[in-house]
C-alpha cells in the first residue's frame, strides 16, 4: 500500500489546529456560561478521588474515548472549575473506562462531531440571546474538539495497515523495554489506543505474538495515549498542565511496576484465559483492563504524592486558584442574623480587595501591554461577579429573618455597596478592552498622556481602597474624606481631558488616541463615583445607628 505522506501530515496538523481551537473555545464558553456555579457542583459531588474514578469510567464509556474525557478534564481544570486533585481521580477512571469499552457495545461519539458542530453553529448564528450564544460556544467547541481528534486519528490510521508495521511490532516485542517504547510511539503516531490494541489482538490471534510478548506493547500503549492530554494542555493554566503531566506519570509509574512483575502478571492472564476459555483477542482486552484497574487502586492512595511531584516539575502558582470565593453558610442566619451580616461584610470586603487588584492589573496592562495582566483582570472580574451573586442571594435570605433596626440598616448598606463594587469590576474590564484596542490598532499615546493616566489610576485606586476601608471599619470620618476626594477626582478628570485636548490640537496625540484616553479616564471617574456611593452608604448607616442610640438614651 502506497502512503500519501503529504495528505497525512496536512490532515494531522489541520486536526491538531481544530482540536486546540475546540479546547479553547469550549473552555471560554464554560467560563461565561457557568461562572463558578459549575465549580460549586463539581466541589459538591466530586468530594473524593474514588467518586472521581467512577465519574471518569462512566464518562469514558458514554463517549467511547479516554482521550476525550482527559481533554475535557484539562479544559475544566484550565477554566478553574476543577482542582488538580479532583482531576486525577477522573483521569484514572478514564483509563479504566476505555478498557471497559472493549467489552461493551457503545456509540462512538467521535463519529457525531459534525452534527454537534452544526448544532453549535445554529445556536451561535441564529439565536441572539447571550446565554444561548454561550451554550453554542460550548457545543461548537466540543464538536471541534472531537472533530480534531477524529482527523488526527484518521490521518495516521493507514500506518496500522502497513505490513512493515506488523513485522516491526513482532521484532520490537522480543524485549520488554523496546516493546514499551514501540507501544508508546505507535499509539502517539496513530492517535488511538484502540488501533494499537486492535493490532495486538490480530497478531496474537494469528500466533505471531504470545501474551508475554504483547504485554509490554500494551503497557506502552497506555503511555502513548496520554499525548492527547499533553496537546490539550498547550497554552493553558499551570494546573491544567499539571493535570496532563499527572496522566503521563500515572501510566509511566504503572508500566514500571507491571514490567517488574510481567512474568507473574502474564502467568495470571494465561491462567484466566485457560480457566474462562477466552479467545486471544478478548484476553488482550482483559489484560488491558486488569492493568488499568490494578494501577488505579495502587496509585489512588498516592494522589497527594502525584500532586507533589507534578508541582515540583511545573512550579508556580495558578492565578485562577489564588482568588478564592468566600462561602456564606445559611446556618449563620438561623443562629444569628448579626453573625450572618458580619460574614457578609467580610465577603464584601474581600470582593473589594479583588476589585482593587483588578484596577491595578488594568493600570499595569496600560503600562506594559502584557497579556498576563488582561488574563488576570478577566479572572478577577469573573470572581467579582460570583461574589456579587453569592452575597446578593445571601442578603435576600437574611432579609427574610427578623432583624433589629441596626441590623436592617447594615443589611441595606451591604446590599447597596455590593452593586457598586460589582460595577467597579465592569469598569476595569472596560479599561482592559480600551487598552487592547490600543494594542490592536497600534494607537500610540504620548509620554505626557501616559503620565496623566498613571496619576488618574493611582488617585482612583487610593480612593476606592479608602472607601472599602471605611466600609470595613464603619469609619464615618474616612467616608467623609472619600466624598471630598471624589470631587477632586472629578476636577482631575476635567483637567486631564483639557490637557489632552490641547495635545491633540498640537498634534502630539492623534484623534484615535485622544478618544481612547478620554474613555479610560471616564471609566476611572466612574470608579470614583462608585467609591463615593459606598462612602455615602457608610455615612447614612452611621447616622441612622447614632440616631437610634440617641433615641434609646
Amino acid at each position: 500500500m502506497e502512503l500519501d505522506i503529504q495528505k497525512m501530515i496536512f490532515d494531522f496538523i489541520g486536526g491538531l489546529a481544530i482540536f486546540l481551537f475546540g479546547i479553547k473555545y469550549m473552555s471560554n464558553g464554560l467560563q461565561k456560561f457557568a461562572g463558578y456555579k459549575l465549580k460549586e457542583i463539581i466541589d459538591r459531588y466530586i468530594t473524593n478521588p474514588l467518586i472521581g474514578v467512577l465519574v471518569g469510567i462512566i464518562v469514558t464509556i458514554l463517549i467511547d474515548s479516554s482521550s476525550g474525557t482527559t481533554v475535557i478534564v484539562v479544559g475544566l481544570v484550565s477554566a478553574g472549575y476543577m482542582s488538580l486533585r479532583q482531576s486525577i481521580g477522573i483521569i484514572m477512571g478514564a483509563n479504566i473506562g476505555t478498557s471497559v469499552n472493549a467489552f461493551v457495545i457503545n456509540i462512538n461519539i467521535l463519529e457525531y462531531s459534525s452534527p454537534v458542530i452544526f448544532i453549535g453553529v445554529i445556536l451561535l448564528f441564529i439565536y441572539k440571546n447571550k446565554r444561548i450564544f454561550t451554550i453554542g460556544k460550548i457545543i461548537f467547541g466540543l464538536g471541534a474538539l472531537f472533530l480534531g481528534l477524529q482527523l488526527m486519528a484518521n490521518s495516521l490510521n493507514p500506518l496500522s495497515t502497513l505490513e512493515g508495521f506488523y513485522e516491526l511490532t513482532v521484532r520490537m516485542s522480543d524485549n520488554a523495554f523496546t516493546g514499551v517504547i514501540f507501544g508508546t510511539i505507535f499509539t502517539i503516531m496513530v492517535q488511538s489506543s484502540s488501533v494499537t490494541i486492535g493490532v495486538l489482538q490480530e497478531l496474537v490471534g494469528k500466533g505471531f505474538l504470545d501474551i508475554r510478548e504483547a504485554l509490554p506493547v500494551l503497557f506502552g500503549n497506555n503511555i502513548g495515549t496520554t499525548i492527547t492530554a499533553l496537546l490539550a494542555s498547550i497554552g493553558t493554566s499551570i494546573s491544567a498542565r499539571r493535570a496532563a503531566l499527572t496522566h503521563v506519570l500515572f501510566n509511566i509509574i504503572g508500566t514500571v511496576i507491571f514490567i517488574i512483575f510481567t512474568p507473574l502478571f502474564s502467568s495470571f492472564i494465561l491462567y484466566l484465559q485457560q480457566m474462562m476459555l477466552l479467545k486471544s483477542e478478548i484476553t488482550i482486552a482483559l489484560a488491558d483492563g486488569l492493568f488499568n484497574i490494578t494501577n488505579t487502586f495502587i496509585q489512588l492512595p498516592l494522589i497527594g504524592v502525584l500532586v507533589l511531584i507534578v508541582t515540583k516539575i511545573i512550579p508556580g502558582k495558578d492565578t485562577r486558584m489564588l482568588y478564592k470565593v468566600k462561602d456564606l453558610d445559611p446556618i449563620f442566619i438561623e443562629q444569628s442574623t448579626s453573625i450572618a451580616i458580619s460574614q457578609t461584610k467580610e465577603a464584601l470586603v474581600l470582593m473589594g480587595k479583588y476589585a482593587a487588584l483588578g484596577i491595578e492589573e488594568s493600570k499595569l496592562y496600560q503600562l506594559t501591554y502584557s497579556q498576563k495582566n488582561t488574563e488576570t483582570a478577566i479572572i478577577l472580574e469573573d470572581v467579582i461577579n460570583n461574589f456579587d451573586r453569592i452575597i446578593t442571594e445571601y442578603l435576600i435570605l437574611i432579609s427574610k429573618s427578623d432583624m433589629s433596626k441596626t441590623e436592617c440598616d447594615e443589611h441595606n448598606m451591604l446590599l447597596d455597596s455590593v452593586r457598586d463594587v460589582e460595577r467597579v469590576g465592569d469598569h476595569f474590564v472596560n479599561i482592559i478592552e480600551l487598552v487592547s484596542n490600543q494594542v490592536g490598532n497600534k494607537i500610540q499615546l504620548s509620554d505626557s498622556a501616559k503620565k496623566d493616566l498613571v496619576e488618574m489610576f493611582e488617585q482612583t485606586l487610593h480612593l476606592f481602597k479608602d472607601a472599602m476601608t471605611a466600609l470595613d471599619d464603619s469609619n464615618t470620618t474616612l467616608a467623609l474624606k472619600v466624598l471630598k476626594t471624589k470631587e477632586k477626582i472629578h476636577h482631575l478628570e476635567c483637567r486631564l481631558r483639557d490637557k489632552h485636548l490641547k495635545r491633540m490640537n498640537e498634534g502630539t496625540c492623534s484623534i484615535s488616541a485622544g478618544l481612547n484616553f478620554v474613555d479610560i479616564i471616564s471609566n476611572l471617574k466612574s470608579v470614583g463615583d462608585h467609591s463615593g456611593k459606598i462612602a455615602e452608604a457608610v455615612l447614612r448607616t452611621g447616622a441612622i445607628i447614632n440616631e437610634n442610640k440617641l433615641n434609646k438614651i
Side-chain angles (χ1 to χ4, degrees):
M1 177 184 175
E2 190 176 337
L3 292 178
D4 187 342
I5 302 297
Q6 179 178 301
K7 186 178 186 304
M8 284 174 57
I9 293 171
F10 283 6
D11 285 354
F12 181 80
I13 61 175
L16 177 61
I18 294 170
F19 170 75
L20 293 174
F21 173 78
I23 286 285
K24 187 74 174 174
Y25 211 62
M26 183 189 73
S27 184
N28 288 343
L30 281 168
Q31 289 178 30
K32 290 182 179 179
F33 176 75
Y36 269 70
K37 287 183 180 178
L38 182 58
K39 179 168 174 56
E40 290 173 6
I41 293 168
I42 290 170
D43 285 342
R44 185 178 303 163
Y45 294 107
I46 305 181
T47 53
N48 63 66
L50 191 57
I51 294 174
V53 170
L54 293 174
V55 170
I57 293 170
I58 293 166
V59 172
T60 303
I61 290 172
L62 290 175
I63 70 174
D64 188 25
S65 172
S66 61
S67 296
T69 304
T70 53
V71 164
I72 291 168
V73 167
V74 168
L76 289 170
V77 174
S78 179
Y81 300 129
M82 186 179 290
S83 70
L84 178 59
R85 283 179 176 271
Q86 288 171 325
S87 71
I88 293 173
I90 298 177
I91 288 169
M92 289 177 173
N95 276 34
I96 297 173
T98 195
S99 301
V100 173
N101 275 339
F103 300 97
V104 297
I105 297 171
N106 52 78
I107 298 172
N108 186 353
I109 199 167
L110 298 189
E111 295 176 359
Y112 294 85
S113 58
S114 296
V116 171
I117 289 173
F118 180 72
I119 293 168
V121 168
I122 289 175
L123 297 179
L124 284 171
F125 288 98
I126 294 180
Y127 292 93
K128 302 298 180 184
N129 183 285
K130 192 174 180 181
R131 195 163 182 82
I132 293 177
F133 178 85
T134 307
I135 293 171
K137 283 187 76 173
I138 297 169
I139 294 173
F140 181 86
L142 188 64
L145 182 159
F146 285 130
L147 178 62
L149 278 174
Q150 192 176 32
L151 281 173
M152 286 190 289
N154 291 345
S155 69
L156 297 172
N157 266 346
L159 292 175
S160 64
T161 63
L162 288 178
E163 189 66 34
F165 267 92
Y166 284 88
E167 294 174 5
L168 184 61
T169 304
V170 173
R171 195 177 304 123
M172 295 292 284
S173 301
D174 290 340
N175 178 278
F177 178 74
T178 56
V180 170
I181 297 297
F182 178 78
T184 301
I185 295 172
F186 185 71
T187 304
I188 289 172
M189 290 179 69
V190 299
Q191 284 287 295
S192 172
S193 59
S194 298
V195 171
T196 307
I197 291 173
V199 169
L200 283 177
Q201 286 175 327
E202 189 169 340
L203 289 172
V204 172
K206 290 179 179 179
F208 292 113
L209 289 177
D210 62 27
I211 295 295
R212 289 184 179 85
E213 292 169 330
L215 287 178
V217 180
L218 190 68
F219 302 153
N221 167 59
N222 281 281
I223 299 173
T225 196
T226 64
I227 187 64
T228 312
L230 288 175
L231 290 173
S233 69
I234 295 172
T236 58
S237 67
I238 289 174
S239 290
R241 295 200 299 274
R242 286 172 179 166
L245 180 59
T246 303
H247 191 202
V248 178
L249 286 178
F250 169 71
N251 283 291
I252 289 175
I253 292 168
T255 296
V256 170
I257 293 170
F258 274 78
I259 284 294
I260 294 170
F261 294 100
T262 294
L264 184 64
F265 184 62
S266 59
S267 298
F268 178 63
I269 294 297
L270 289 170
Y271 168 75
L272 291 177
Q273 182 184 23
Q274 292 169 4
M275 186 181 73
M276 300 169 70
L277 303 175
L278 300 175
K279 292 182 179 180
S280 299
E281 293 87 343
I282 298 298
T283 306
I284 290 292
L286 177 65
D288 187 54
L290 287 174
F291 167 80
N292 284 309
I293 292 169
T294 308
N295 189 26
T296 295
F297 281 98
I298 288 172
Q299 296 193 57
L300 195 62
L302 305 174
I303 282 180
V305 177
L306 287 172
V307 170
L308 183 64
I309 292 170
V310 295
T311 304
K312 293 290 183 183
I313 296 172
I314 305 176
K317 293 183 178 179
D318 196 341
T319 306
R320 182 173 288 275
M321 294 302 174
L322 293 176
Y323 309 118
K324 300 293 184 182
V325 177
K326 184 177 176 63
D327 291 324
L328 295 171
D329 198 331
I331 197 168
F332 288 126
I333 302 174
E334 298 172 10
Q335 293 176 347
S336 168
T337 51
S338 177
I339 293 174
I341 288 170
S342 176
Q343 290 289 308
T344 310
K345 191 175 184 180
E346 284 182 21
L348 180 56
V349 170
L350 183 57
M351 179 183 177
K353 287 179 180 177
Y354 291 151
L357 283 173
I359 299 170
E360 283 273 15
E361 291 297 330
S362 62
K363 182 185 84 170
L364 290 170
Y365 188 41
Q366 172 63 66
L367 292 173
T368 65
Y369 293 156
S370 171
Q371 194 64 27
K372 184 180 177 182
N373 298 125
T374 184
E375 289 171 359
T376 303
I378 290 169
I379 290 169
L380 284 165
E381 201 242 352
D382 186 28
V383 174
I384 289 166
N385 287 340
N386 192 50
F387 261 107
D388 176 42
R389 179 183 61 81
I390 289 173
I391 292 172
T392 302
E393 289 176 357
Y394 197 67
L395 286 170
I396 290 170
L397 285 175
I398 293 174
S399 67
K400 296 175 183 177
S401 304
D402 292 329
M403 291 185 284
S404 66
K405 185 69 173 66
T406 301
E407 288 169 350
C408 188
D409 295 332
E410 288 184 7
H411 173 276
N412 292 336
M413 177 192 71
L414 295 173
L415 196 58
D416 290 336
S417 298
V418 72
R419 295 192 196 101
D420 289 304
V421 177
E422 190 276 331
R423 290 294 295 138
V424 168
D426 293 338
H427 286 300
F428 72 65
V429 168
N430 289 344
I431 294 170
I432 289 288
E433 290 171 355
L434 288 165
V435 179
S436 294
N437 183 51
Q438 285 178 32
V439 177
N441 294 299
K442 297 180 180 179
I443 297 171
Q444 295 292 328
L445 294 177
S446 65
D447 291 338
S448 175
K450 290 178 181 177
K451 186 177 178 182
D452 287 346
L453 281 179
V454 170
E455 182 184 2
M456 186 76 177
F457 266 113
E458 288 178 350
Q459 292 208 25
T460 304
L461 181 59
H462 187 69
L463 175 69
F464 178 71
K465 285 181 176 179
D466 279 350
M468 292 309 301
T469 302
L471 184 145
D472 189 19
D473 299 338
S474 301
N475 189 332
T476 53
T477 305
L478 184 57
L480 283 169
K481 181 186 172 185
V482 168
L483 289 179
K484 290 177 182 177
T485 309
K486 186 196 79 169
E487 295 305 317
K488 291 180 181 178
I489 292 288
H490 279 209
H491 294 312
L492 177 62
E493 192 254 355
C494 291
R495 180 167 61 83
L496 295 183
R497 192 187 290 260
D498 291 341
K499 279 179 68 178
H500 203 66
L501 185 61
K502 185 179 178 182
R503 281 192 291 266
M504 288 169 62
N505 291 332
E506 292 172 350
T508 310
C509 277
S510 64
I511 293 173
S512 56
L515 293 172
N516 193 275
F517 178 91
V518 169
D519 285 342
I520 290 174
I521 61 172
S522 177
N523 273 282
L524 289 170
K525 187 191 84 168
S526 296
V527 172
D529 290 338
H530 289 294
S531 302
K533 287 179 181 178
I534 293 169
E536 286 171 0
V538 173
L539 287 169
R540 191 164 52 247
T541 305
I544 292 170
I545 290 172
N546 288 332
E547 184 183 337
N548 290 339
K549 287 180 180 177
L550 286 172
N551 289 337
K552 286 180 181 179
I553 294 171

